[in-house]
């Protein structure tokens, strides 16, 4: 039986609603494709039953990879099920891509998860597209994800375009660490704003020290920016530095609010008035829609 040329799949289940939710639907709508749900059942013992039907010759699988230990396995199961139906080109859209932080063996015996997980995905998919992946000592996604195509999309310009602005305000963009520099730079350039990058020392999951040599910021709306926020400790520490430099107003933007706990109360307590994030993972702060950004890079791959 011949396959349709193209198919678009997203996980559909109550606890993974985001995958079949607004960002997946927006992307599918831009591409003019229906969303074919991937059915998911989680057994009481923790195993997952994945059913992916209706594959096309080119199949797009949409899944953000927060909660990675469950979602990675399920994504690989779905990839295998689609491939078995005769898919020639399998494309993963993972707006948030997990396991990239560990890109080096800091202590003998540590698994370098960026390389290992990257290889799993590279073996399973012909192309992997993601938004603002956490790349630190590795400068390009294709160095860890060995698919034929591995694209890291920069959301900086779209974040800048959708940021609420006031006339004649002075902006200063501040990233907390060197990993945040590419996004801080692209966001600041799109805003024509000054930017700086602080230094961060991480002593534990919730113990970070941020230091920054900052200009006087008493006339500036300071926008803190990071690729991801998990506990919120990094941006809270960064906020304290900006406050010490006299920041007129403090706000934060990020590509991914990863959780699982909501960092908003901690950020508010640190003086951050508003947080805006991309819709790569669901959060009350979602403001920046990524579907058009993803579609622009995806279209040439499915033409
Ligand atoms: C790591 O360097 C990332 O870019 C983020 O700065 C980090 O993951 C944020 O984590 P948290 O919000 O828990 O400080």
């Amino acid at each position: 039986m011949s396959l349709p040329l193209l198919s678009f799949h997203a996980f559909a289940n109550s606890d993974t609603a985001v995958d079949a939710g607004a960002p997946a639907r927006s992307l599918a709508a831009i591409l003019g494709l229906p969303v074919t749900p991937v059915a998911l059942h989680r057994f009481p013992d923790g195993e997952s039953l994945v059913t992916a039907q209706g594959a096309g010759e080119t199949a797009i699988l949409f899944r953000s990879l927060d909660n990675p230990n469950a979602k990675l396995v399920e994504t690989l199961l779905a990839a295998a099920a689609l491939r078995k139906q005769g898919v020639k080109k399998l494309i993963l859209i993972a707006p948030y891509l997990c396991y990239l932080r560990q890109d080096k063996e800091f202590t003998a015996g540590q698994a370098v998860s960026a390389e290992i997980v990257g290889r799993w995905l590279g073996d399973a998919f012909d192309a992997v597209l993601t938004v603002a992946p956490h790349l630190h000592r590795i400068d390009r996604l294709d160095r860890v994800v060995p698919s034929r195509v591995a694209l890291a999309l920069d959301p900086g310009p779209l974040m800048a375009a959708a940021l609420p602005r006031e006339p004649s305000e002075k902006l200063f963009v501040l990233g907390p660490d060197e990993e945040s520099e590419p996004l801080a730079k692209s966001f600041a350039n799109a805003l024509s704003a000054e930017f700086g990058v602080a230094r961060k020392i991480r002593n534990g999951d919730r113990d970070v020290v941020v230091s920054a040599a900052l200009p006087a910021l008493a006339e500036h709306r300071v926008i803190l920016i990071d690729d991801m926020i998990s506990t919120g400790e990094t941006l809270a520490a960064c906020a304290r530095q900006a406050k010490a430099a006299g920041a007129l107003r403090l706000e934060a933007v990020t590509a991914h609010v990863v959780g699982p706990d909501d960092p908003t109360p901690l950020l508010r307590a640190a003086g951050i008035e508003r947080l805006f994030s991309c819709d790569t993972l669901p959060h009350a702060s979602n403001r920046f829609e990524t579907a058009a950004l993803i579609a622009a890079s995806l279209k040439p791959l499915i033409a």
Side-chain angles (χ1 to χ4, degrees):
M1 203 178 69
S2 67
L3 300 181
L5 283 180
L6 263 174
S7 59
F8 187 106
H9 309 260
F11 278 77
N13 211 45
S14 53
D15 61 343
T16 56
V18 62
D19 295 309
R25 281 198 303 273
S26 304
L27 178 58
I30 293 173
L31 302 172
L33 293 171
V35 179
T36 305
V38 177
L40 174 62
H41 174 70
R42 289 194 176 139
F43 293 105
D45 65 1
E47 288 188 3
S48 300
L49 176 64
V50 169
T51 310
Q53 297 173 328
E57 281 185 21
T58 295
I60 300 160
L61 178 62
F62 184 103
R63 198 169 212 206
S64 231
L65 292 172
D66 58 317
N67 187 12
N69 292 351
K71 284 188 165 188
L72 268 174
V73 171
E74 292 160 358
T75 299
L76 293 173
L77 292 174
L82 291 168
R83 196 68 91 175
K84 205 171 163 189
Q85 291 161 50
V87 171
K88 293 194 181 119
K89 189 193 278 185
L90 188 51
I91 300 172
L92 174 66
I93 307 295
Y96 170 71
L97 190 55
C98 56
Y99 269 118
L100 291 173
R101 276 187 290 199
Q102 185 77 26
D103 61 4
K104 183 179 162 184
E105 189 176 336
F106 294 97
T107 301
Q110 273 180 350
V112 182
S113 58
E115 287 171 7
I116 298 165
V117 171
R119 210 174 312 124
W120 292 346
L121 295 175
D123 288 347
F125 293 92
D126 301 293
V128 174
L129 276 69
T130 188
V131 176
H134 184 81
L135 298 175
H136 182 192
R137 281 157 285 262
I138 296 162
D139 61 344
R140 286 171 39 163
L141 189 63
D142 59 5
R143 301 217 199 283
V144 281
V145 180
S147 308
R148 271 192 287 134
V149 177
L151 296 179
L153 308 181
D154 172 14
L158 81 88
M159 293 164 80
L163 185 79
R165 297 286 303 269
E166 279 152 37
S168 74
E169 65 187 353
K170 287 190 184 170
L171 290 176
F172 188 86
V173 173
L174 178 60
D177 50 29
E178 63 179 307
E179 300 99 290
S180 67
E181 181 162 354
L183 183 57
K185 191 173 179 179
S186 124
F187 177 69
N189 285 349
L191 290 168
S192 302
E194 281 179 79
F195 83 99
V197 173
R199 279 171 52 83
K200 177 171 83 180
I201 297 171
R202 182 175 284 285
N203 299 313
D205 290 341
R206 289 181 175 271
D207 181 2
V208 293
V209 179
V210 171
S211 53
L214 293 172
L217 293 173
E219 295 180 352
H220 289 78
R221 172 186 175 196
V222 176
I223 315 240
L224 309 178
I225 184 166
D226 206 353
D227 60 331
M228 60 196 264
I229 300 177
S230 176
T231 64
E233 294 290 353
T234 296
L235 284 195
C238 199
R240 289 190 279 275
Q241 295 292 305
K243 264 212 289 207
L248 180 64
R249 281 178 65 191
L250 267 178
E251 294 175 346
V253 297
T254 188
H256 320 286
V257 181
V258 181
D261 299 327
D262 184 5
T264 313
L266 182 66
L267 299 180
R268 288 241 172 86
I272 297 171
E273 293 169 33
R274 295 193 292 185
L275 167 66
F276 299 120
S277 61
C278 292
D279 61 358
T280 56
L281 296 170
H283 188 257
S285 62
N286 285 172
R287 172 125 192 163
F288 311 124
E289 292 178 7
T290 54
L293 174 75
I294 295 169
S297 293
L298 182 54
K299 278 181 181 167
L301 301 179
I302 59 176

